[in-house]
Amino acid sequence: MTTALDRLDAERAIRHTHFRFFLLTDAGRYDLLGQQCFTPDADIEYRIMPGPPQRFAGRDEFVDFMLPGRPPATARHRIIGPAAAHTSAPPDIDWSTGQPRLTGYATVWHWAATHTPAGQPRPADWTTIGLVDDTYRHHDGQWLIARRLITPAAGLVATGTAPGLGRPTPR
């Protein structure tokens, strides 16, 4: 960074990418997620789920995991099928290492289905709170995530039931 104004512009763009990740994920737009949020060689690791860490070498590997051989979710699928909703506390951006490092908390609600068979909205099956630790790099005119580590901030499951079939709902 050469000036304070350059740094402010970079931080605005970094926050935009941070929140764009949540918007695209919640909309099921994994096809856009890779190119708009991660560098091609991004190192991505999620330690938030039970079991071994999920590691991805590059954005294409991450997108392939999120979209295993199927097109992005349609609006109809999102209404009745699996869904997630993210919210984020205002993140911090630290420049002390020379590269911008964003840290902050994200809460994620997960639904196996958002509605009962009778069409009534149902509560989330489980909720997690994660610590986001992203290192950003300027790539092709955008500030993108070059390294991501997501770890639990409040246990693996903050409320609800563990991932699986979910709670029974009245019909």
Side-chain angles (χ1 to χ4, degrees), residues 14-167:
I14 288 166
R15 283 187 178 89
H16 177 79
T17 299
H18 174 71
F19 290 113
R20 173 154 295 307
F21 173 85
F22 296 134
L23 291 170
L24 291 171
T25 299
D26 293 349
R29 294 305 311 263
Y30 306 116
D31 56 324
L32 299 175
L33 189 67
Q35 66 187 6
Q36 292 187 11
C37 298
F38 293 99
T39 61
D41 61 343
D43 176 25
I44 304 164
E45 183 174 344
Y46 281 78
R47 296 182 189 169
I48 196 92
M49 299 297 293
Q54 295 171 308
R55 293 187 175 108
F56 306 96
R59 69 183 180 198
D60 291 342
E61 191 173 303
F62 180 70
V63 170
D64 287 347
F65 174 81
M66 299 302 284
L67 274 176
R70 65 177 210 260
T74 64
R76 171 117 175 93
H77 180 265
R78 290 266 303 128
I79 291 170
I80 61 171
H86 293 74
T87 186
S88 175
D92 180 59
I93 300 174
D94 177 34
W95 292 83
S96 63
T97 64
Q99 280 188 295
R101 179 178 169 215
L102 178 143
T103 54
Y105 293 102
T107 303
V108 187
W109 290 269
H110 300 265
W111 288 264
T114 59
H115 289 76
T116 67
Q120 298 299 314
R122 58 185 295 277
D125 295 294
W126 57 287
T127 303
T128 58
I129 300 172
L131 177 62
V132 178
D133 184 347
D134 289 343
T135 301
Y136 280 75
R137 186 171 70 224
H138 200 249
H139 177 81
D140 285 344
Q142 299 179 73
W143 283 97
L144 301 175
I145 303 164
R147 188 186 73 63
R148 163 164 280 183
L149 175 62
I150 307 292
T151 55
L156 292 177
V157 177
T159 65
T161 59
L165 297 176
R167 294 186 294 270

Side-chain angles (χ1 to χ4, degrees), residues 1-15 93 95 143:
M1 295 282 100
T2 56
T3 69
L5 186 56
D6 290 338
R7 184 171 286 186
L8 285 173
D9 284 344
E11 288 184 6
R12 181 189 50 76
I14 288 166
R15 283 187 178 89
I93 300 174
W95 292 83
W143 283 97

